[in-house]
Amino acid sequence: MVLVYKLLRSAEWAAFQADGVFAGSSDDLRDGFIHLSAADQVAGTRAKWFADTEVVLLAVDAADVRWEPSRGGALFPHLYRPLRLGEVSLVAPPWPV
């Protein structure tokens, strides 16, 4: 099992639960893949991209992620297909601002 993590705004999480599939945020759709984080990258991702909003943290078991360098050179997991609700193994409660 390879766990990676996805931060979602509350409205995105509600839509994901209703649809059973998450195609990506506007940033994901623009870039052509779903942005994920390793465990040690979650706090930095939260601070950089979600500092002003409440988010839900999802633990995802997606074995087919690609580890690719970011602009700063760190390797981040990317998923080049929609995420299925059944791949979410843990949901952390809303993480307030």
Side-chain angles (χ1 to χ4, degrees), residues 1-96:
M1 179 184 292
V2 176
L3 286 181
V4 292
Y5 300 87
K6 180 64 179 173
L7 291 165
L8 291 180
R9 291 173 178 83
S10 297
E12 292 172 324
W13 173 232
F16 185 4
Q17 289 177 289
D19 297 341
V21 173
F22 178 70
S25 66
S26 58
D27 290 334
D28 297 330
L29 294 171
R30 178 199 65 223
D31 294 340
F33 54 83
I34 295 177
H35 294 267
L36 301 165
S37 298
D40 64 344
Q41 297 168 326
V42 170
T45 299
R46 167 82 162 110
K48 184 173 183 177
W49 301 105
F50 299 96
D52 61 345
T53 189
E54 185 176 278
V55 292
V56 174
L57 177 66
L58 307 180
V60 177
D61 179 18
D64 57 342
V65 297
R66 293 186 201 170
W67 292 84
E68 299 175 316
S70 67
R71 289 184 190 107
L75 294 178
F76 277 83
H78 298 151
L79 186 62
Y80 284 86
R81 60 167 177 77
L83 180 60
R84 297 179 295 274
L85 193 56
E87 294 172 300
V88 176
S89 61
L90 174 73
V91 180
W95 189 349

